[in-house]
Amino acid sequence: MMSYNPFLLLCATGLFAIFSSTISKSPVLPLFASHLGADPSGVGFIASVSAFTGMAFSIPAGILSDRYSKRRMLLFSAIIFSTAPFLYLFITQIWQLALVRFYHGFATAIFIPVAMALVSKLFHKERGEKMGWFSTATLAGRFMAPLIGGAVIGVLAFDPGLSYRVVYIICGTSGAITFLLALRIPQTEEAAQEGQSWGEMFRIFRTVSAHKEILTTSAVEASVLFAYGTFETFLPLYSLHIGLNAYEVGIFLSAQVITLALSKPVLGRFSDKYGRRRQIFAGALIGAASIWSFSLFRSFFPLLSLSMLFGLSLSIVTSATSAYIADLSSGRSRGSAMGLLGSIMDIGHTAGPLASGFIATQFGYPKAFMGASLVLVAIAFLFLFAEGTGKMFLDKQELTD
């Protein structure tokens, strides 16, 4: 039987999984929701539903991955990736879209924290770089998705209903490929911790959830996703409002993602070598400046440049946050720590479109971008002053896992 490199196979699975997830929402989701009759606040609500699923279920997914096989959890998420997209084809009402987004959200809620925990388990000294390469693989999918989705919507602009169906058929095809790849991921870890009591597992999670630096690091990533949720939900509508087209919106989103993809392994290696905290803080400030600046421009090239700068800020932050949390946690708690990160991240991702949708409805799209910037600055300084707990709960024998 042919053998596969577990890391490369995991990267390939991540590429198709995140392509499928991204093309289901960027740029099609706000446009589809508007087509069904949603106002800006309704669009924000729909955009936040799948992130709410992640907020609620990333922690259980992480705990289960610590107790049982991470491969088993990845397969479960792949089943959702391969089935959810086809449900969009039958949607005619906003409430139906919300239900499908809730179900679809389980896929990334499970996949991302479990996959990151598995990568951090496979590597130690070069953890930041390998996490960066895995993120680059997922970002390759994230890059292609809005470009392809925007092109389909642009070409079929004469029949919006048909264009949305075509996008979700592409989404479902990618989800099916994700499932086929996930089936080939080998068991690369020990048989987890099935002999450990549930009480012990929850004790470990309580320890993780009380760790100040893990919490504030997760909060920085949540604030970045608050800004990103605002960006991906309302930049398409803002761009159309100022006279740009869907294809140009796809270029904005894809340019941001390709910036992330090219820079993440380099910045992950940089954090391995020079430390992660200052990198996280600097990236958050750059992100705050760039998201604020979206409110100041109304033409293609300035918005394209800002999209790329915002992508670079995301790369600076996220190439260090997951690796930093892996550094702070032990082998038997890493799934729980990544699940906690995923849950807090999704709080930010959920709150971003909701809060920004309210602001956009009341005050306009530029004020929504400004509000996201202020949130990011506030959390960045909270993180800056939270240093001090270090690796307080690491077991000595696990420092080299």
Side-chain angles (χ1 to χ4, degrees), residues 241-253:
H241 176 72
I242 62 177
L244 302 178
N245 59 49
Y247 186 73
E248 289 173 316
V249 171
I251 292 174
F252 293 155
L253 300 174

Side-chain angles (χ1 to χ4, degrees), residues 256 259 286-287 289-290 304-314:
Q256 181 208 73
T259 302
I286 294 170
S290 58
L304 176 62
S305 299
L306 287 172
S307 296
M308 295 173 68
L309 180 62
F310 186 55
L312 180 62
S313 74
L314 286 170

Side-chain angles (χ1 to χ4, degrees), residues 212-213 215-220 223 277 281 284-285 374-387:
K212 182 171 65 174
E213 286 191 85
L215 290 175
T216 55
T217 304
S218 299
V220 174
S223 67
R277 288 190 59 85
F281 179 70
L285 294 186
L374 294 176
V375 169
L376 188 47
V377 168
I379 299 299
F381 279 96
L382 177 66
F383 169 78
L384 181 65
F385 295 113
E387 186 174 10

Side-chain angles (χ1 to χ4, degrees), residues 97-159:
L97 181 57
L99 287 178
V100 173
R101 290 301 297 166
F102 181 78
Y103 172 63
H104 205 169
F106 279 99
T108 49
I110 297 168
F111 184 83
I112 294 298
V114 174
M116 294 298 278
L118 183 54
V119 173
S120 70
K121 177 70 180 178
L122 293 172
F123 303 96
H124 179 63
K125 290 184 179 179
E126 52 187 2
R127 179 174 289 156
E129 181 179 356
K130 292 299 185 182
M131 284 183 160
W133 280 114
F134 174 75
S135 293
T136 291
T138 64
L139 287 166
R142 198 183 297 274
F143 160 71
M144 293 183 290
L147 196 62
I148 293 173
V152 169
I153 293 169
V155 169
L156 299 177
F158 63 90
D159 188 347

Side-chain angles (χ1 to χ4, degrees), residues 5 22 137 255 259 388:
N5 182 302
T22 304
T259 302

Side-chain angles (χ1 to χ4, degrees), residues 17-253:
I18 300 307
F19 175 87
S20 178
S21 174
T22 304
I23 202 171
S24 75
K25 62 183 179 180
S26 181
V28 66
L29 185 61
L31 304 177
F32 186 35
S34 295
H35 175 74
L36 294 174
D39 62 14
S41 60
V43 171
F45 169 75
I46 292 297
S48 69
V49 169
S50 62
F52 173 79
T53 311
M55 178 181 67
F57 292 99
S58 290
I59 290 174
I63 292 173
L64 289 171
S65 77
D66 280 337
R67 182 174 174 83
Y68 301 112
S69 166
K70 292 178 175 61
R71 179 182 182 274
R72 195 177 303 171
M73 297 301 295
L74 292 177
L75 279 173
F76 182 66
S77 72
I79 291 171
I80 301 172
F81 276 123
S82 63
T83 57
F86 297 105
L87 299 177
Y88 292 94
L89 303 177
F90 304 100
I91 290 172
T92 59
Q93 304 290 330
I94 288 292
W95 66 267
Q96 295 170 338
L97 181 57
L99 287 178
V100 173
R101 290 301 297 166
F102 181 78
Y103 172 63
H104 205 169
F106 279 99
T108 49
I110 297 168
F111 184 83
I112 294 298
V114 174
M116 294 298 278
L118 183 54
V119 173
S120 70
K121 177 70 180 178
L122 293 172
F123 303 96
H124 179 63
K125 290 184 179 179
E126 52 187 2
R127 179 174 289 156
E129 181 179 356
K130 292 299 185 182
M131 284 183 160
W133 280 114
F134 174 75
S135 293
T136 291
T138 64
L139 287 166
R142 198 183 297 274
F143 160 71
M144 293 183 290
L147 196 62
I148 293 173
V152 169
I153 293 169
V155 169
L156 299 177
F158 63 90
D159 188 347
L162 174 63
S163 70
Y164 304 142
R165 288 194 293 273
V166 171
V167 168
Y168 286 117
I169 289 171
I170 295 170
C171 176
T173 301
S174 181
I177 294 171
T178 299
F179 176 71
L180 294 175
L181 289 171
L183 285 173
R184 295 182 175 275
I185 295 176
Q187 184 73 32
T188 58
E189 52 182 329
E190 62 274 15
Q193 301 172 69
E194 296 185 35
Q196 220 166 28
S197 70
W198 281 105
E200 176 65 11
M201 295 299 298
F202 283 110
R203 186 196 68 77
I204 291 171
F205 173 72
R206 285 196 301 270
T207 304
V208 169
S209 61
H211 194 283
K212 182 171 65 174
E213 286 191 85
I214 287 180
L215 290 175
T216 55
T217 304
S218 299
V220 174
E221 188 141 348
S223 67
V224 166
L225 284 185
F226 183 103
Y228 179 71
T230 300
F231 169 87
E232 70 173 346
T233 303
F234 294 106
L235 184 67
L237 299 177
Y238 175 64
S239 298
L240 296 178
H241 176 72
I242 62 177
L244 302 178
N245 59 49
Y247 186 73
E248 289 173 316
V249 171
I251 292 174
F252 293 155
L253 300 174

